[in-house]
Amino acid sequence: MRKLRFFLWGAVFFAAIGSLYLYSMTGTNQQPNTLLSGGKLGDEFTLMRHNGQPISDKDLLGKPHAIFFGFTSCPEVCPSTLYEITTWLDELGEDADRIGVYFITVDPERDTQEILAEYMESFDSRIIGITGDKAKVEQTLRSYKVHFERVELDDGDYTMDHTATIYLLNSEGTFVRSIAYGENSQTAVAKLKLMLN
Amino acid sequence: MNTIRQIPGKLTALGLATIILILASPFAVKAQTFGDLIISKSWILAPPRAAKVAGGFLVITNNGLQDETLTAVQFDGAKKADIHAMKIEGGVMKMRPLKDGITIPAGNSVKLKPGATHLMLMGLSVPIEDGKSFPLKLTFANVGEITVEFPALSRAKGKLLMKDGN
């Protein structure tokens, strides 16, 4: 009996250590966005849609929306994510009309409205590309707590480090959850569907 | 009776196998051997319209007794080609040129795939369209310069290619 009690307390001890360990793991590996959970993101802005029309923060509010941040000189993560979003919207069908989907450039210098207009033709027409004056775009990115950083390459060229997570916000602009790069399509579609409820 | 019941199942399996073959065969480039190296699953993610960059991927197997290093990439249809390390750290995508190239240890494989190290083609002067194929020159420390065909694939086809065996 004593042995059993000893054994059980041992088990409790190891379970506690184990869960502490798991907790610390998730703490370090979580997207920084979990910190944003529940908060309103984004300030007032007026920028430009890829079709040349103006767009403001008011246009995003009023229905749940998904925002992805990237740039057109991005070899893989950005096009892959936009292609994935295209297949998810396809799967959602008409329901996708009830979600706003936006792609805000982190490289407004190179991503002019003309370039963005052509770029967006490769994806679902419901995805709206957003660019504009560099300072204004950067201010908007900061208001969404997006990480973006210009990285110089040796020959005068540059690339951008940037948040590669898709933000899902409710109709009031409150951050609800995110979709990570490479997340499986079923989970991503389920998360989008949750926004429709 | 049992055999008859099994027929629809067998037909479905056959159908699926055919579909997989049809999907896989037109775009998969056969593995190629260059000395001790085997190059397989080479492809370029067909970039969206207007994009001036594209990412190339491949699997390099080194069957030799010496470590091998991929030191440079060259593509006539791009102003510049580099080997880039890429990682997602805390939700942030970070990309850096690998100045010393990539080492493939003796007896090992290195997989360049979406979400990780890739060949970065910059300043594209030719349209990289799904269905077309492009020759890239790869320079290795031991084997020297080789030319490998890289078919341009859509995201969906590329995913399928990377999934299919290893």
Side-chain angles (χ1 to χ4, degrees):
Chain A
M1 195 60 196
R2 212 173 148 176
K3 252 188 192 166
L4 180 67
R5 192 178 293 167
F6 184 73
F7 172 77
L8 285 175
W9 275 115
V12 167
F13 176 75
F14 281 110
I17 295 284
S19 40
L20 267 178
Y21 175 69
L22 282 177
Y23 180 74
S24 68
M25 292 278 288
T26 51
T28 47
N29 289 341
Q30 276 295 334
Q31 308 284 350
N33 306 314
T34 46
L35 302 172
L36 313 170
S37 195
K40 160 99 172 67
L41 286 181
D43 286 338
E44 286 183 10
F45 67 80
T46 307
L47 294 167
M48 196 185 277
R49 289 168 203 258
H50 69 262
N51 67 4
Q53 299 291 314
I55 186 164
S56 81
D57 54 304
K58 314 276 181 305
D59 295 309
L60 273 63
L61 303 177
K63 66 177 179 181
H65 47 290
I67 313 179
F68 177 64
F69 309 89
F71 64 125
T72 71
S73 306
C74 167
E76 196 272 308
V77 167
C78 310
S80 289
T81 302
L82 292 167
Y83 282 128
E84 291 289 310
I85 295 175
T86 297
T87 61
W88 304 337
L89 296 182
D90 204 35
E91 200 168 314
L92 285 172
E94 280 178 16
D95 277 347
D97 297 346
R98 289 159 55 204
I99 304 175
V101 187
Y102 304 93
F103 171 60
I104 305 183
T105 182
V106 296
D107 185 15
E109 232 169 297
R110 288 187 293 202
D111 291 344
T112 60
Q113 179 255 318
E114 290 79 11
I115 286 182
L116 212 51
E118 203 182 331
Y119 191 78
M120 298 315 290
E121 277 180 37
S122 297
F123 310 107
D124 191 295
S125 58
R126 287 170 288 198
I127 309 173
I128 296 168
I130 299 179
T131 185
D133 172 72
K134 187 170 180 261
K136 281 190 186 171
V137 170
E138 289 181 349
Q139 193 187 339
T140 303
L141 294 173
R142 276 185 215 106
S143 76
Y144 278 105
K145 302 196 162 101
V146 168
H147 176 92
F148 61 100
E149 192 181 341
R150 182 180 161 133
V151 179
E152 300 300 328
L153 299 172
D154 50 13
D155 53 359
D157 213 349
Y158 67 93
T159 182
M160 299 294 295
D161 284 355
H162 64 89
T163 299
T165 304
I166 302 167
Y167 285 21
L168 303 182
L169 301 106
N170 67 15
S171 54
E172 282 105 48
T174 301
F175 177 88
V176 182
R177 58 180 67 82
S178 63
I179 300 174
Y181 166 78
E183 196 154 326
N184 83 62
S185 297
Q186 271 175 314
T187 318
V189 170
K191 284 182 176 179
L192 290 173
K193 278 187 182 158
L194 275 176
M195 295 172 73
L196 296 167
N197 296 334
Chain B
M1 195 60 190
N2 269 341
T3 45
I4 290 171
R5 261 199 216 132
Q6 278 165 5
I7 286 175
K10 277 185 182 162
L11 280 180
T12 317
L14 193 68
L16 278 176
T18 316
I19 290 167
I20 289 166
L21 269 180
I22 290 169
L23 284 174
S25 54
F27 54 82
V29 167
K30 268 193 183 162
Q32 273 183 287
T33 306
F34 303 89
D36 289 330
L37 293 182
I38 298 171
I39 307 284
S40 60
K41 298 193 176 183
S42 55
W43 64 290
I44 300 174
L45 175 65
R49 289 183 54 177
K52 287 280 170 251
V53 300
F57 311 97
L58 75 161
V59 179
I60 309 166
T61 304
N62 178 8
N63 285 330
L65 298 171
Q66 263 186 304
D67 291 356
E68 177 63 285
T69 307
L70 171 64
T71 56
V73 191
Q74 205 206 317
F75 174 46
D76 289 341
K79 204 168 75 188
K80 195 168 80 140
D82 271 338
I83 306 160
H84 274 193
M86 204 274 274
K87 61 180 173 182
I88 308 266
E89 216 174 54
V92 174
M93 187 275 283
K94 294 182 175 177
M95 200 164 76
R96 298 287 178 275
L98 287 173
K99 297 220 166 69
D100 300 326
I102 317 166
T103 298
I104 309 103
N108 276 293
S109 281
V110 169
K111 203 186 226 182
L112 278 73
K113 58 178 183 191
T117 303
H118 56 266
L119 308 179
M120 173 84 174
L121 313 176
M122 285 167 282
L124 294 174
S125 53
V126 294
I128 308 281
E129 287 162 359
D130 182 9
K132 288 187 183 167
S133 181
F134 303 88
L136 264 65
K137 286 191 187 117
L138 308 179
T139 309
F140 287 92
N142 304 330
V143 167
E145 190 183 285
I146 63 172
T147 302
V148 176
E149 278 298 319
F150 280 69
L153 303 180
S154 68
R155 162 88 175 152
K157 287 180 191 169
K159 261 171 105 173
L160 211 61
L161 177 68
M162 300 311 290
K163 238 187 237 174
D164 162 47
N166 280 301

